[in-house]
Amino acid sequence: MEQLTITRKEGADYILFELSGVFNAYTAVNVQSKVYDAIQKQNVVLDLSKVVELDAAAMGTIMAAHNDADECGTKLYLMSLSNEADREILATGFKDLFHIIHSVTEVA
């Protein structure tokens, strides 16, 4: 079975979720529950540097979190995209929509 490890860290003005492994239809619900609660209160950073698979369900989770952030006045940042994550996000045609950063120091 596919595994996704989610590590939560808190910064001064953001919550960082480090994702490691497979982010797909089976594991997206785990990300969804954590991110959606956090995004209502403050900025969220998803570190995707260790994601080895990202599918349409995962992209749906990311898009929904992005939209929720807009509604709540917070921001969703995608940090350090793995090759797989970058390829999937690019394939959606919405890459310019996202706040893509390389370091948490870029969180505004």
Side-chain angles (χ1 to χ4, degrees), residues 39-94:
I39 202 79
Q40 294 176 15
K41 300 172 188 130
Q42 66 188 109
N43 298 325
V44 168
V45 178
L46 293 181
D47 181 347
L48 302 176
S49 63
K50 296 178 184 168
V51 170
V52 296
E53 179 185 323
L54 192 127
D55 71 1
M59 282 307 306
T61 299
I62 291 171
M63 285 295 285
H66 175 79
N67 292 339
D68 285 355
D70 280 349
E71 290 175 13
C72 295
T74 58
K75 288 185 181 177
L76 174 70
Y77 295 90
L78 305 180
M79 184 173 78
S80 302
L81 305 180
S82 68
N83 288 338
E84 179 63 31
D86 187 51
R87 187 172 32 255
E88 187 64 32
I89 291 167
L90 189 60
T92 66
F94 294 115

Side-chain angles (χ1 to χ4, degrees), residues 5-52:
T5 303
I6 305 167
T7 305
R8 177 187 167 124
K9 297 181 179 178
E10 294 194 27
D13 54 351
Y14 62 88
I15 297 174
L16 169 67
F17 292 99
E18 295 174 343
L19 307 182
S20 179
V22 178
F23 187 7
N24 63 15
Y26 299 106
T27 61
V29 68
N30 298 329
V31 176
Q32 184 178 20
S33 61
K34 293 175 182 359
V35 170
Y36 290 2
D37 288 341
I39 202 79
Q40 294 176 15
K41 300 172 188 130
Q42 66 188 109
N43 298 325
V44 168
V45 178
L46 293 181
D47 181 347
L48 302 176
S49 63
K50 296 178 184 168
V51 170
V52 296

